[in-house]
Amino acid sequence: MRKNRVVLSLALSLTACLTGTVPIQASNSPLTIRVDGEPISFVQQPFIEDGITLVPFRPLFEKMGWQVDWDPQMRKVTAAGDGLKIEMTPDINAAVVNGEDAALDKAPAIVDGTVFVPLRFVGEASGRKVSWIERLGIVSIGETKLYPIQQEEKNGLIDNHGHKTIDIPFFSVLPFSEGLAQVWSAAKDGNGGNGSGYIDVKGQLVIPCQYFETAPFSEGLAYVTVLISQDVKRHQYIDTTGKVVMEPDILFGSQFHEGLAAVAVATHDDRLYTYGYLNVKGEFTISPHFDFGYDFSEGLGRVKIDDKFGFIDISGTSVIAAKFDDALDFHSGLAPVKVGEKWGYINTSDGWAIPLQYDDAQPFSEGLAAVKMGSKWGFIDTKGKQVIKSSFEKTKPFTGGLAAVQIGDWEWGYINKRGEIKIKPTYYEASQFSAGIANVRVGWAGEGPDSGYIDVNGDYIWAPRQVDFK
């Protein structure tokens, strides 16, 4: 194995927001696999072994738009696309991604003459979000390859080649999540109402603009509110058809992650509210008693109790006591935590994996985590070794082998895992890559004409227009 190992775990990454993560568990119903919003047809069906989903490699990679090859003599699968090259060998618990070794939680396998590969690893390595909707038996990799744009004060959608596909008659549109995108207030044609709703990939309003607030879909559900009066809101979770699945008596709701959603309920004491967790049936599986609750990640939920942070499991049992001054979610089996003025990393057994030594720290993504020493950020591996020196003003997580970094007062660009500048720092803002595409901005307004999209080579698929905001 090469010296530079990249540990890409079974856990889901994110972006999102990367985002919360869960293991895929077995289901009695057949699995539906979606790539970038579209289902894959398999001759030989995917299967789950040791909690890990394995799928035939060729239809998976071809659906992603990648070139694939099987070398029977070398017994090696090679797939290339989105600026990446992945090599895997049956029965070997390792892969090679763009020349760097990556650990696998499950080796590829040959079944009835077909090579099966670990689904989640492929999704994460390609920079795609991977999600598991247990109640529907759906595993989803990536999002619909449509991206919102604004041109001449009109909203629209482009595909991943930069071709304009649809004009959107709404004041605002957000990125797609699970095949639907949030839109606000129907515009000139009066289609809809004066609130927020959802469109499908054809640009059709499939859930009316009738909500005061909306959130992206996650695990097949979205949190929405309906304004009853100036100070009264009805809180709901809807499915992708717009059907109300639950209407809990809460003050605030979050997205579902790993089958649970953190929600706030009113109290009759000085705290005003407490947090608990709802399941997809609208039942409190973890009673509201936390000062704050965050999304579950890798089977653990981060909670705040009396100004300290700890972690609970899905039953609500405290597995890591609330003793930290700050903490972030688990990824790759490690979570950044703060004690006093310093940050380090703990494992899921509450042991110190990387000692307290950093001035700030972020979760792991693709085997690397951003840490701050003094006033600059760099990256470490899961052993705590600094692999990219601290030289950046700000950083974002690695996705698809690239990380956005800020150099100087405002200039954002992208580096690879060796710390080399791959896309020059010329942007005012830069997002994480997903499926080989990233959103960048050349102005300070945050959205609109100054927002464009680049590929992994830094070439525009949709060029922003510099806007004079004087």
Side-chain angles (χ1 to χ4, degrees):
M1 301 290 285
R2 294 171 176 81
K3 291 182 180 180
N4 294 325
R5 292 183 58 84
V6 182
V7 180
L8 295 175
S9 74
L10 178 65
L12 297 175
S13 73
L14 220 324
T15 179
C17 331
L18 312 115
T19 59
T21 65
V22 305
I24 295 175
Q25 302 298 330
S27 170
N28 293 327
S29 302
L31 288 173
T32 297
I33 311 296
R34 291 178 179 171
V35 171
D36 299 330
E38 297 184 4
I40 308 177
S41 296
F42 294 102
V43 175
Q44 290 179 272
Q45 293 304 306
F47 64 92
I48 298 174
E49 189 172 271
D50 299 328
I52 297 172
T53 300
L54 296 165
V55 301
F57 85 96
R58 189 173 295 278
L60 171 63
F61 282 115
E62 288 180 346
K63 194 69 173 179
M64 292 166 58
W66 289 28
Q67 297 295 316
V68 295
D69 181 61
W70 163 246
D71 187 332
Q73 293 184 332
M74 298 294 292
R75 298 183 74 252
K76 182 172 68 175
V77 170
T78 301
D82 296 334
L84 295 169
K85 181 180 180 180
I86 298 176
E87 300 169 84
M88 289 184 279
T89 302
D91 304 320
I92 301 296
N93 275 35
V96 179
V97 181
N98 280 3
E100 297 186 9
D101 291 319
L104 299 177
D105 289 311
K106 189 74 175 177
I110 297 179
V111 180
D112 296 332
T114 296
V115 179
F116 285 71
V117 297
L119 177 66
R120 200 180 300 276
F121 171 83
V122 172
E124 290 185 338
S126 67
R128 287 166 164 84
K129 174 186 174 181
V130 186
S131 58
W132 163 232
I133 308 175
E134 183 176 8
R135 65 190 182 88
L136 302 177
I138 295 174
V139 185
S140 179
I141 295 182
E143 292 294 352
T144 303
K145 286 188 175 181
L146 292 174
Y147 307 92
I149 59 166
Q150 187 181 93
Q151 185 180 43
E152 297 177 353
E153 299 183 355
K154 294 181 180 180
N155 289 299
L157 297 173
I158 60 170
D159 63 19
N160 61 314
H161 300 293
H163 302 141
K164 191 172 182 181
T165 61
I166 304 169
D167 285 320
I168 303 298
F170 299 98
F171 291 143
S172 181
V173 57
L174 290 184
F176 279 86
S177 179
E178 300 187 358
L180 297 175
Q182 298 158 261
V183 293
W184 271 268
S185 296
K188 296 180 180 179
D189 65 357
N191 180 21
N194 294 316
S196 178
Y198 298 84
I199 59 171
D200 63 14
V201 296
K202 297 179 180 179
Q204 298 299 311
L205 188 68
V206 292
I207 301 178
C209 291
Q210 60 188 359
Y211 302 106
F212 180 68
E213 300 167 307
T214 59
F217 274 89
S218 176
E219 300 186 6
L221 298 172
Y223 168 71
V224 299
T225 64
V226 178
L227 190 64
I228 304 303
S229 63
Q230 184 174 357
D231 299 318
V232 179
K233 292 186 290 185
R234 181 182 297 137
H235 304 265
Q236 300 174 335
Y237 282 89
I238 60 173
D239 65 17
T240 54
T241 69
K243 177 184 176 182
V244 177
V245 176
M246 64 185 84
E247 197 169 84
D249 183 14
I250 59 177
L251 295 176
F252 174 79
S254 68
Q255 292 178 288
F256 272 88
H257 291 277
E258 305 191 6
L260 296 172
V263 299
V265 302
T267 64
H268 301 290
D269 54 31
D270 294 338
R271 291 186 294 177
L272 301 180
Y273 60 86
T274 58
Y275 271 78
Y277 291 83
L278 290 174
N279 64 16
V280 294
K281 297 179 181 179
E283 304 165 336
F284 272 104
T285 58
I286 302 175
S287 64
H289 62 282
F290 303 107
D291 293 334
F292 210 95
Y294 301 83
D295 297 334
F296 268 76
S297 177
E298 298 188 3
L300 296 175
R302 178 165 48 106
V303 294
K304 186 178 182 182
I305 305 172
D306 296 331
D307 290 328
K308 296 290 184 180
F309 293 83
F311 295 86
I312 59 173
D313 64 18
I314 59 173
S315 71
T317 301
S318 175
V319 294
I320 298 176
K323 57 187 176 183
F324 303 107
D325 295 311
D326 204 348
L328 297 175
D329 294 336
F330 274 93
H331 291 278
S332 301
L334 300 175
V337 295
K338 182 181 182 183
V339 178
E341 297 300 320
K342 295 295 182 181
W343 288 79
Y345 291 81
I346 59 170
N347 57 32
T348 55
S349 299
D350 195 16
W352 286 103
I354 303 172
L356 294 164
Q357 57 189 294
Y358 307 111
D359 295 302
D360 207 343
Q362 295 295 322
F364 277 88
S365 176
E366 297 189 0
L368 298 178
V371 294
K372 189 176 184 181
M373 300 287 284
S375 62
K376 302 291 185 179
W377 288 84
F379 289 85
I380 60 171
D381 63 18
T382 55
K383 302 297 182 183
K385 178 184 177 182
Q386 183 134 12
V387 295
I388 299 175
K389 67 179 182 179
S390 300
S391 55
F392 307 109
E393 303 298 327
K394 294 179 183 178
T395 61
K396 294 183 180 180
F398 273 94
T399 54
L402 296 173
V405 296
Q406 181 184 330
I407 300 173
D409 293 335
W410 59 267
E411 299 94 335
W412 283 85
Y414 293 86
I415 60 171
N416 63 17
K417 291 185 177 180
R418 290 183 290 275
E420 301 164 339
I421 298 291
K422 299 301 292 183
I423 299 175
K424 292 181 180 179
T426 57
Y427 311 109
Y428 188 82
E429 182 60 89
S431 70
Q432 296 167 230
F433 271 93
S434 176
I437 303 295
N439 178 233
V440 294
R441 292 166 182 159
V442 297
W444 58 267
E447 60 183 43
D450 68 325
S451 175
Y453 296 91
I454 59 172
D455 62 20
V456 293
N457 297 313
D459 296 326
Y460 281 113
I461 68 164
W462 182 267
R465 178 170 61 87
Q466 185 70 56
V467 179
D468 184 1
F469 294 99
K470 294 180 181 180

